[in-house]
Amino acid sequence: MGIIDGKTICQVALVVKDLDKTVEEYAKLFGVPKPEAFRVPEESVAHTQFKGVPSKTRARLAVFDLGQVVLEITEPDEEPSSWKDFLEKNGDGIHHIAFMTDDRDAAVRYFEENDMPVRHYGEYEGGNYTVFDSKEKLGTFVQVKYEPKK
């Protein structure tokens, strides 16, 4: 088996200029209520980094539960982040696909050894996420999510 089990896909993430408008359109498409928007926690809580440098980003997000996969929609703020960088270079679009991992260290080693360094890192209650600079090789950024077993 590879470093990531493709069956653990858990997220497709979009970056957009207008979160409210985009969320409204997806809610209509899916025939569901609009999910509540929320902000990335402060850097002191999320330990957010962009290209190895702490970032104070407080991007706005909303998430649609689609079963095994969630659709995450992010509107970046003006602070440095992978989301802001992506939006400025590409406009609205798919920022990353995410997979769960049981071994974050092994995933980081694999990506770094294959010239896809850590691009963005952050923590949330119950786990963390790492986005790799994989767009050139894999067509999009790949994220691994790690949630320690309790």
Side-chain angles (χ1 to χ4, degrees), residues 72-90:
E72 176 184 273
I73 303 171
T74 304
E75 178 186 283
D77 59 10
E78 291 304 313
E79 296 293 330
S81 70
S82 184
W83 307 302
K84 179 179 183 264
D85 183 67
F86 178 92
L87 188 61
E88 288 174 347
K89 290 178 179 172
N90 304 288

Side-chain angles (χ1 to χ4, degrees), residues 66-141:
L66 305 177
Q68 176 180 328
V69 176
V70 299
L71 175 62
E72 176 184 273
I73 303 171
T74 304
E75 178 186 283
D77 59 10
E78 291 304 313
E79 296 293 330
S81 70
S82 184
W83 307 302
K84 179 179 183 264
D85 183 67
F86 178 92
L87 188 61
E88 288 174 347
K89 290 178 179 172
N90 304 288
D92 291 2
I94 296 175
H95 179 264
H96 68 264
I97 54 175
F99 301 87
M100 296 302 297
T101 185
D102 290 331
D103 190 344
R104 179 186 177 275
D105 293 338
V108 169
R109 262 192 317 280
Y110 172 85
F111 280 95
E112 289 185 339
E113 287 171 359
N114 286 281
D115 301 317
M116 295 177 276
V118 172
R119 177 177 174 81
H120 191 99
Y121 171 81
E123 298 173 4
Y124 56 90
E125 188 174 327
N128 61 59
Y129 62 92
T130 307
V131 179
F132 299 96
D133 213 342
S134 57
K135 191 168 195 260
E136 187 175 310
K137 289 189 174 190
L138 299 176
T140 191
F141 300 126

Side-chain angles (χ1 to χ4, degrees), residues 53-74:
V53 177
S55 172
K56 294 182 186 210
T57 184
R58 297 292 316 277
R60 291 180 63 224
L61 292 87
V63 177
F64 287 93
D65 183 348
L66 305 177
Q68 176 180 328
V69 176
V70 299
L71 175 62
E72 176 184 273
I73 303 171
T74 304

Side-chain angles (χ1 to χ4, degrees), residues 24-77:
E24 185 172 323
E25 291 300 324
Y26 273 101
K28 285 194 306 191
L29 176 67
F30 298 146
V32 299
K34 292 189 302 186
E36 287 288 321
F38 61 96
R39 289 199 178 273
V40 171
E42 295 177 4
E43 191 274 329
S44 63
V45 173
H47 304 107
T48 311
Q49 296 181 15
F50 176 52
K51 296 186 176 182
V53 177
S55 172
K56 294 182 186 210
T57 184
R58 297 292 316 277
R60 291 180 63 224
L61 292 87
V63 177
F64 287 93
D65 183 348
L66 305 177
Q68 176 180 328
V69 176
V70 299
L71 175 62
E72 176 184 273
I73 303 171
T74 304
E75 178 186 283
D77 59 10

